[in-house]
Amino acid sequence: MTRHTPSRTMRIGAAMLTAALLSSTAMTAMADTPPNMLVIAQRIDDVKTMDPAESFEFTGADISRNVYEPLVDFDPLDLDAGYQPKLAESWEVSEDGTQITFKMADGHVFSTGNPVTAKDAEFSLRRAVLLNKTPSFILTQFGFTPENVEETIVAPDDKTLVLKLDKAYAVSFVLNCLTATIGGIVDMKAVMEHEVDGDMGNAWLRDNTVGSGPYKLASWKPNESYTLDLNPEFTGEAPAMKRVIVQHIQESATQRLQLERGDVDIARNLSPEDVAGLDGVAGVKVVDELRGRLMYWSANQKSEILSNPKVIEAMKYATDYKGMEDSFLKGQYVTQQAFLPKTFMGAIDDAPYSLDLEKAKALLTEAGYPDGFDVTIGVREAQDRIDIGQSLQNTWGQIGIKAELVVGTGAQTLDTYRARQHQVALEAWGPDYPDPNTNAGTFAYNPDNSDEAGATGLLAWRNAWALPEMSKETLAAVVEQDSDKRAKMYEDLQREFMATAPFAIMFQQIEQNAMKDGVEHFVAGGATTAVSYWAVTK
Amino acid sequence: MKKTVSLAFTVAITLLGLLFVTFMIGRVMPIDPVLAVIGERATQAQYDQVFLELGLDKPLIVQFGIYVGDVLQGDFGTSIRTGKPVAEDIARVFPATLELATLGTLLGVVLGVPLGVLAAVYRGSWIDQISRLIGLVGYSMPIFWLGMMGLLIFYGILGWVAGPGRLGVFYEGLVPTRTGLLLLDAIIAGDWDVFKDALSHIILPACLLGYFSLAYISRMTRSFMLEQLNSEYVITARVKGLSEWNVVWRHAFRNIAIQLITVIALAYANLLEGSVLTEIIFAWPGIGSYITTSLLSNDMASVLGGTVVIGTIFVCLNILSDLLYRFFDPRAKS
């Protein structure tokens, strides 16, 4: 037996290690993304399911939009144009406005090879109502219930689908809602082949897809990656990207490294510091896109002080919107004081409030609180929220309002907020579907302000804000058939809201996606929808 | 026989205590398990329905009893994040952690033990000083920072190793999963391209973990060796004219080997449960990353399941090292 001295053993070990490293180096140096493949670094740990009847998270919406086709859809390259025909080539509204009849387009085929028919659309929409998962309210708000779907969602033949509504809703309202993830049409035959215990294929569709969109799910590893491959049966214009791979990368700095090394084409979750760090880096660009998320503060109207309109107005004038936008929120948020995000139907740019401490102090004195008062602000433990809270603390303090930040987990602050036990809440809200009612129906609608009503989903209720007239106006807007008039109603509603509400909408989110210079037409979805990989070229 | 029964009883009590503590932590945490499932937009009716489905209307002790019963049958519940049984999720992610921790520990042992021995033999010399410095840096540097620096230098600048993840996107699915350990699966399949890619991905995080292991193992080895080298039998051996190599490795080192088993087992257990940050930095889809993501998603069934599994492994490794200690050292038997 040969004995090695320690130094010799170590030398051999080091040599083996070096050899292993060098042998792997050559391969990594060659790694680059092929021209017909899109590789993305993104946080995708929010995915719970791929089932369009249940999916209600950002990443789930991204996948669904590229895999399933709805009856009507947005064009990613012209989001402002609103909904356009997709699986339905046309639609007619009955004279009384309560019935919409869709004519299905020819030529759409599921990834299984089965043609898309009205029966599939009937099944998919009925299924979403029957399963009664969280996003089902997007459909049930039109009067569809598990008990009546067989009469209200009907496909008399393979080419025709009839929706019978409980009221004459604005057709734009109904069609906007059908563009949401829950409006994705699934292959009835394939889904029902995988039904278990009457779940209508819900368990199977968690990690399988059967849509007629440009892509199909090739693989999904929770917390690791998902891969979309071209749907071989897709009959539309073939996307340039034959394969899309999205890797779960938690850390912003790691995403940036991958982009700079060329291992990914797009990095979707860069911190402001990493975005700034890419400035001047050759071959990389950062594309800003307005999203639908709004940041606001609101005051509980159960508080005697905070129910004084002058106090609320004073607090709005003592909020430093521009200062925050230009400093710690730079590039991440833009000032927006109306409850509809910019780019939404009926959105307005009015921003009547700006930091005016003298005016705020005068209003506070007028309200009977010349020396101010003490108040608590419930803040979730996220850095941007805490920064905003501290800014409010500072500027409100200058007019005598002594604010204490109560920092808690999302669950803690949400529990307090839903129980109407907060004083001031610093919160964020994102639209559930791309219609103005999604925000009007929560910020400006509260038909029963009693505790017993338990309307925890309504932000106006959470703040104990009774607004009978505006609630009526909100309801009137969803049945206005003339789209221009409807948009005008929301504009008026927002101006009234800005003047009187115990809410100060402050900011709208900007998403900053960093990508290689050659990547074009990457649209994350704006304020209204999710990402559209089929439009991307590079 | 009596000792075996006693050991089994101790293990059972320890695991029950572990279950109780993890379950109670899950219940007292300020997370509403219902909202975690249905989201904040759900109606009160949906909330009430899920509240009952989760059995939250039952007394806490009854809930715990049901949980223990389920766990004994290998049922940790269903993850609200992945929609799959937690046990299935853990079976999928654990091999990644096992592979990383094993390689990290191997590196720690292969480099740490000789370094510790040399530091003891050449006490006060430059070797000892370097050993101390390595240990100090290993103990004091945040793993997060070291990981980021490692990625920046070896992946970002030098390009010597592959980036985050276990495997390059172009190698996914090329070898069938047999053990879940990618390196091993690639060897079994005879696919050396996949093996090289997997090695290129694992080498940096493994070196990082190995470094922390090395720091601990080398310090402990040095300490054990110093005690032995000052013993009378070592002096006697030297007086008898044995070579220094024989004195150090055949006499002194053999006497610390048993103690080292415990140290290495603990280091291994630490890497299995303590590599959370490494897994996050390197996007390593292991159990640490799984538990962390679950916690951030309020997915308490997954957090509890992961914690119980890690705790059980920790207990088992401790017992194993105890048994090995008894096996190799006759004094411990008595």
Side-chain angles (χ1 to χ4, degrees):
Chain A
M1 194 173 121
T2 312
R3 283 184 186 158
H4 298 297
T5 61
S7 57
R8 192 177 167 197
T9 309
M10 285 175 76
R11 277 206 306 272
I12 291 171
M16 285 172 68
L17 194 63
T18 309
L21 278 172
L22 287 176
S23 64
S24 58
T25 302
M27 188 279 307
T28 23
M30 285 191 293
D32 199 4
T33 61
N36 61 355
M37 187 187 290
L38 190 68
V39 183
I40 300 173
Q42 186 184 349
R43 287 181 198 136
I44 57 167
D45 50 2
D46 61 331
V47 183
K48 289 181 179 172
T49 175
M50 311 283 169
D51 187 342
E54 188 176 6
S55 173
F56 206 45
E57 296 80 34
F58 291 109
T59 309
D62 281 350
I63 297 169
S64 284
R65 180 161 167 74
N66 290 277
V67 164
Y68 295 103
E69 291 181 303
L71 293 168
V72 288
D73 204 1
F74 294 111
D75 177 354
L77 301 180
D78 189 9
L79 289 173
D80 291 342
Y83 52 80
Q84 307 289 318
K86 186 65 110 178
L87 289 180
E89 65 177 26
S90 63
W91 50 89
E92 283 177 11
V93 182
S94 64
E95 273 191 23
D96 67 355
T98 61
Q99 190 166 304
I100 304 176
T101 304
F102 294 91
K103 187 182 176 200
M104 302 297 285
D106 289 324
H108 291 270
V109 183
F110 289 113
S111 55
T112 53
N114 296 327
V116 180
T117 70
K119 297 287 183 193
D120 294 298
E122 175 198 76
F123 169 78
S124 302
L125 298 181
R126 280 184 182 178
R127 179 178 176 273
V129 174
L130 289 166
L131 286 175
N132 192 29
K133 299 296 181 183
T134 303
S136 63
F137 71 92
I138 296 172
L139 295 180
T140 56
Q141 62 186 334
F142 300 113
F144 305 129
T145 65
E147 293 75 31
N148 73 14
V149 282
E150 291 197 10
E151 290 84 45
T152 53
I153 301 173
V154 182
D157 56 59
D158 280 354
K159 296 290 291 177
T160 313
L161 176 74
V162 181
L163 298 184
K164 294 174 184 169
L165 318 172
D166 64 346
K167 267 200 281 187
Y169 295 102
V171 70
S172 56
F173 176 32
V174 181
L175 297 189
N176 276 331
C177 287
L178 290 177
T179 66
T181 300
I182 199 166
I185 304 303
V186 301
D187 182 342
M188 176 173 62
K189 284 180 196 154
V191 168
M192 290 310 283
E193 278 171 13
H194 295 89
E195 185 183 40
V196 178
D197 299 332
D199 75 342
M200 302 183 85
N202 178 240
W204 184 71
L205 279 181
R206 273 181 180 275
D207 42 19
N208 292 280
T209 63
V210 270
S212 57
Y215 294 97
K216 62 174 186 171
L217 185 71
S219 79
W220 177 46
K221 295 179 183 172
N223 223 17
E224 280 186 60
S225 66
Y226 72 81
T227 301
L228 300 180
D229 277 350
L230 214 56
N231 171 6
E233 305 290 341
F234 183 62
T235 50
E237 190 182 340
M241 298 298 111
K242 308 297 180 208
R243 174 172 278 198
V244 179
I245 300 174
V246 182
Q247 289 180 290
H248 174 64
I249 305 293
Q250 182 75 24
E251 277 305 308
S252 161
T254 314
Q255 288 193 10
R256 180 182 155 193
L257 267 179
Q258 286 184 292
L259 181 66
E260 290 191 55
R261 285 275 303 158
D263 287 348
V264 300
D265 297 303
I266 301 173
R268 291 198 62 184
N269 307 101
L270 296 189
S271 66
E273 295 76 24
D274 284 316
V275 168
L278 286 175
D279 193 25
V281 173
V284 174
K285 64 183 176 185
V286 177
V287 177
D288 290 357
E289 192 172 335
L290 273 178
R291 301 308 302 265
R293 185 183 172 87
L294 300 171
M295 195 78 85
Y296 68 91
W297 62 255
S298 61
N300 192 339
Q301 296 303 283
K302 287 190 170 186
S303 155
E304 189 189 332
I305 298 174
L306 297 174
S307 62
N308 185 326
K310 296 279 181 201
V311 169
I312 296 297
E313 202 179 352
M315 291 161 75
K316 288 181 183 176
Y317 276 112
T319 298
D320 189 6
Y321 310 89
K322 190 155 187 349
M324 289 189 262
E325 181 189 333
D326 289 344
S327 54
F328 56 84
L329 295 179
K330 196 173 177 63
Q332 305 291 299
Y333 282 91
V334 63
T335 299
Q336 173 68 358
Q337 295 183 358
F339 65 63
L340 287 179
K342 289 183 174 79
T343 76
F344 252 60
M345 172 190 189
I348 54 175
D349 288 332
D350 298 22
Y353 299 101
S354 57
L355 184 67
D356 187 342
L357 293 174
E358 275 185 29
K359 190 171 183 174
K361 184 74 181 165
L363 281 163
L364 209 55
T365 306
E366 209 180 316
Y369 300 99
D371 299 325
F373 51 86
D374 291 351
V375 74
T376 58
I377 309 175
V379 186
R380 297 192 190 204
E381 53 183 1
Q383 194 53 50
D384 54 356
R385 308 277 186 106
I386 293 171
D387 289 340
I388 293 173
Q390 286 172 341
S391 173
L392 292 174
Q393 203 174 27
N394 172 30
T395 50
W396 288 357
Q398 292 180 49
I399 60 168
I401 301 174
K402 291 176 273 303
E404 179 195 346
L405 299 188
V406 182
V407 180
T409 63
Q412 283 171 323
T413 54
L414 184 62
D415 280 353
T416 309
Y417 195 26
R418 285 167 63 99
R420 313 213 283 189
Q421 289 171 347
H422 63 291
Q423 290 185 8
V424 172
L426 175 57
E427 286 287 342
W429 181 265
D432 293 326
Y433 50 87
D435 184 84
N437 186 61
T438 187
N439 281 11
T442 190
F443 281 107
Y445 178 68
N446 183 15
D448 181 354
N449 195 36
S450 67
D451 284 345
E452 293 71 35
T456 51
L458 305 182
L459 297 179
W461 182 87
R462 287 187 195 173
N463 287 283
W465 185 37
L467 63 163
E469 286 309 311
M470 288 180 74
S471 294
K472 284 180 196 162
E473 290 166 30
T474 300
L475 285 181
V478 297
V479 294
E480 176 52 59
Q481 294 294 339
D482 184 318
S483 291
D484 292 338
K485 273 190 194 169
R486 187 167 179 242
K488 178 74 171 56
M489 289 170 88
Y490 285 112
E491 290 173 14
D492 295 343
L493 200 58
Q494 287 174 94
R495 291 194 175 100
E496 193 181 347
F497 178 89
M498 277 193 276
T500 60
F503 287 84
I505 312 287
M506 295 180 287
F507 306 108
Q508 181 176 349
Q509 187 193 11
I510 300 169
E511 183 173 318
Q512 295 187 296
N513 290 303
M515 59 195 81
K516 289 179 184 170
D517 264 342
V519 176
E520 299 291 345
H521 310 308
F522 178 82
V523 180
T528 48
T529 187
V531 72
S532 312
Y533 298 130
W534 68 86
V536 176
T537 59
K538 67 172 192 178
Chain B
M1 182 65 188
K2 194 179 171 185
K3 278 184 182 172
T4 309
V5 171
S6 169
L7 183 65
F9 183 72
T10 308
V11 171
I13 291 293
T14 308
L15 292 179
L16 189 66
L18 177 69
L19 274 180
F20 182 76
V21 170
T22 50
F23 181 83
M24 287 305 163
I25 287 174
R27 286 296 181 270
V28 299
M29 277 183 75
I31 289 173
D32 187 330
V34 181
L35 286 180
V37 175
I38 59 175
E40 63 175 279
R41 310 286 170 92
T43 62
Q44 192 61 39
Q46 285 170 320
Y47 183 97
D48 295 340
Q49 185 189 335
V50 174
F51 186 83
L52 291 175
E53 282 172 9
L54 294 177
L56 296 171
D57 55 323
K58 297 181 175 68
L60 208 54
I61 194 69
V62 176
Q63 291 180 42
F64 178 63
I66 294 170
Y67 182 69
V68 171
D70 289 343
V71 168
L72 287 175
Q73 296 173 55
D75 179 7
F76 292 100
T78 302
S79 162
I80 58 168
R81 200 162 51 81
T82 66
K84 295 178 187 304
V86 172
E88 190 182 319
D89 277 349
I90 291 174
R92 178 174 50 80
V93 299
F94 187 68
T97 298
L98 186 68
E99 190 173 40
L100 184 61
T102 305
L103 195 56
T105 306
L106 275 175
L107 288 170
V109 172
V110 168
L111 300 175
V113 171
L115 188 65
V117 172
L118 285 175
V121 172
Y122 301 106
R123 186 182 183 183
S125 70
W126 63 270
I127 295 177
D128 192 21
Q129 299 303 334
I130 287 175
S131 161
R132 280 167 192 249
L133 185 67
I134 289 172
L136 189 67
V137 172
Y139 280 123
S140 55
M141 285 286 183
I143 196 163
F144 191 83
W145 186 84
L146 270 185
M148 287 310 307
M149 286 300 106
L151 260 183
L152 176 67
I153 295 167
F154 297 107
Y155 165 64
I157 298 171
L158 299 172
W160 286 3
V161 298
R166 285 183 86 188
L167 202 59
V169 291
F170 311 113
Y171 295 91
E172 289 282 356
L174 291 184
V175 297
T177 303
R178 289 197 171 89
T179 64
L181 308 174
L182 262 177
L183 293 172
L184 201 54
D185 284 347
I187 291 171
I188 293 169
D191 193 326
W192 298 106
D193 286 338
V194 172
F195 178 81
K196 280 197 286 186
D197 187 62
L199 183 65
S200 176
H201 277 85
I202 200 172
I203 198 72
L204 188 56
C207 282
L208 187 69
L209 288 183
Y211 177 59
F212 282 88
S213 224
L214 176 155
Y216 173 59
I217 292 171
S218 67
R219 294 313 296 166
M220 295 306 288
T221 307
R222 177 183 182 276
S223 169
F224 295 151
M225 280 299 285
L226 281 177
E227 191 184 335
Q228 297 299 324
L229 291 173
N230 289 329
S231 302
E232 286 184 4
Y233 77 89
V234 169
I235 298 167
T236 309
R238 281 178 176 145
V239 168
K240 282 170 68 181
L242 287 181
S243 72
E244 190 62 14
W245 178 257
N246 272 338
V247 170
V248 170
W249 290 103
R250 300 199 71 183
H251 291 268
F253 182 74
R254 279 175 74 166
N255 278 333
I256 71 158
I258 300 161
Q259 289 168 292
L260 273 183
I261 289 172
T262 309
V263 168
I264 292 167
L266 283 176
Y268 190 40
N270 276 327
L271 290 197
L272 281 173
E273 57 94 25
S275 53
V276 174
L277 285 175
T278 312
E279 290 189 359
I280 288 173
I281 298 163
F282 291 92
W284 197 262
I287 196 164
S289 171
Y290 176 76
I291 294 174
T292 310
T293 311
S294 300
L295 190 61
L296 293 174
S297 311
N298 298 344
D299 184 359
M300 290 314 294
S302 305
V303 175
L304 290 185
T307 310
V308 168
V309 168
I310 290 289
T312 306
I313 289 169
F314 206 93
V315 169
C316 290
L317 278 173
N318 266 297
I319 291 167
L320 184 68
S321 69
D322 195 35
L323 290 175
L324 286 173
Y325 203 101
R326 289 185 196 188
F327 182 77
F328 286 114
D329 188 349
R331 289 170 298 179
K333 285 179 186 166
S334 58

